[in-house]
DNA sequence: ACCGTCATGTAATCGGTTACATGATTCT
DNA sequence: AGAATCATGTAACCGATTACATGACGGT
């Protein structure tokens, strides 16, 4: 049993398994897209390697399905739940970075007009998608995902205002 | 002369050298902090390895200072300027992700109260810092950095509203 | 002369991404 | 039955981070 550094990806995996119960990597993949994947994405291959890492370190157990494809099924251990709890209950003051590719271009002198229009279109689409998603899950989802989705919605609205203003000035 | 994939870090380096002229890694480091580093950060060691990569691929030239520490000084080549231009003038529809550690915790069930208060404090500090910075450079800085800074300010304001609301509900 | 801090850099490690590959399933 | 798409996974590579290390310089 090795010792590893828990990354954000680790917590996403632990959190997903807590939410959904014992999961295969593919279960996780489906759990990620259209939820947490909207604002914290990574390639699906991470969902094969990361649970393995976590299992080696004792945060998950790894079993094989009986019959069929005999896929790997991961479950939370006590140690895993503890790690998740410790992380979750530490009220971090760490801040998100903008890390917006379009703002990066802007910083280095990109033309506002075309960039603004492209961004506006994309952000409007994303906002619509979020609002639809919220309406679809509002009555059934746990509060965490819902409230996070609200943040995503505010984020999109802010950026739509921002790029609108820029595109208008240009 | 090798072929490399240009990452965001590459464009940051190319952009910095364009803005500031021939630079040593340490010049770049100073250029990064308090400007682009606020919303697209990375460890300073990247500023030693990345220019080297870029020089090998022909986007920068590498010279040695005469005397003193004989530090490496990097300058843009035509090829580097072209790559920067091509990137900058492509109006990307690629979207920023939230990728906010605090929202991640929220998603997986963190308590709103303590987390909200910690985030509020941190975001208020950051906002004040941005506003001060803006006032300090408003008259001298090129438009790109200023307009990007405006985005950072709006971002902070949005998150202050968001966490205020959450902390109040909790 | 010493100490602390800033300046400057090297090297190793590793998480994350990219590329690829093969079974299942569904559709026509 | 063939094609297309979804499901499931492996392996290699590499950019990014972490750890460490030494030189310069200002203050006491």
């Amino acid at each position: 049993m090795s010792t590893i550094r828990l990354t954000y990806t680790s917590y996403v995996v632990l959190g997903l398994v807590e939410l959904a119960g014992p999961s295969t990597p593919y279960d996780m993949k489906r759990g990620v897209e259209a939820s947490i994947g909207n604002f914290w994405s990574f390639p699906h291959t991470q969902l094969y390697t990361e649970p393995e890492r976590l299992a080696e370190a004792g945060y998950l157990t790894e079993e094989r399905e009986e019959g069929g494809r005999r896929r790997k099924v991961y479950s939370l251990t006590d140690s895993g739940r503890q790690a998740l709890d410790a992380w979750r209950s530490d009220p971090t003051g760490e801040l998100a970075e903008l890390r917006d590719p379009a703002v990066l271009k802007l910083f280095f002198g990109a033309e506002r007009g075309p960039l603004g229009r492209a961004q506006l279109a994309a952000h409007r689409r994303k906002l619509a998608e979020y609002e639809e998603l919220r309406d679809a899950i509002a009555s059934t989802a746990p509060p965490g995902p819902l409230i996070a989705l609200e943040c995503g919605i505010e984020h999109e609205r802010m950026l739509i205002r921002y790029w609108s203003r820029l595109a208008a000035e240009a």
Side-chain angles (χ1 to χ4, degrees), chain A:
Chain A
M1 186 153 96
S2 54
T3 295
I4 62 173
R5 226 179 63 80
L6 293 173
T7 68
Y8 290 122
T9 308
S10 312
Y11 293 115
V12 170
V13 168
L14 293 176
L16 283 171
V17 174
E18 184 187 48
L19 276 177
S23 308
T24 68
Y26 194 66
D27 294 335
M28 298 178 206
K29 185 193 168 197
R30 281 204 330 261
V32 162
E33 51 200 34
S35 76
I36 189 69
N38 278 303
F39 54 89
W40 200 293
S41 76
F42 44 82
H44 80 279
T45 54
Q46 281 284 103
L47 293 174
Y48 292 88
T49 49
E50 184 63 22
E52 215 165 280
R53 265 183 85 229
L54 290 170
E56 275 168 24
Y59 299 107
L60 296 175
T61 59
E62 179 183 317
E63 293 172 83
R64 289 279 184 167
E65 280 180 342
E66 302 297 325
R69 298 210 189 172
R70 302 185 44 70
R71 294 178 303 174
K72 293 175 182 171
V73 182
Y74 295 93
S75 314
L76 263 189
T77 63
D78 284 348
S79 163
R81 191 175 303 274
Q82 273 168 34
L84 186 55
D85 270 339
W87 169 74
R88 183 164 44 195
S89 54
D90 169 43
T92 182
E94 196 185 350
L95 294 185
E97 264 178 31
L98 214 30
R99 231 179 177 76
D100 184 324
V103 175
L104 192 62
K105 292 195 186 198
L106 211 51
F107 184 99
F108 287 116
E111 298 272 348
R112 303 169 187 200
L115 184 56
R117 284 189 294 277
Q119 286 286 305
L120 256 184
H123 281 297
R124 284 190 172 130
R125 225 176 303 128
K126 194 70 179 176
L127 176 59
E129 183 192 325
Y130 279 166
E131 288 177 333
E132 220 168 295
L133 177 60
R134 180 191 50 188
D135 296 346
I137 66 173
S139 46
T140 71
L146 270 175
I147 202 77
L149 188 51
E150 285 299 332
C151 191
I153 288 174
E154 290 304 324
H155 186 237
E156 293 305 324
R157 288 189 176 143
M158 184 275 282
L159 286 167
I160 287 170
R161 285 194 302 275
Y162 176 77
W163 290 108
S164 294
R165 197 145 42 81
L166 272 196
E169 284 173 15

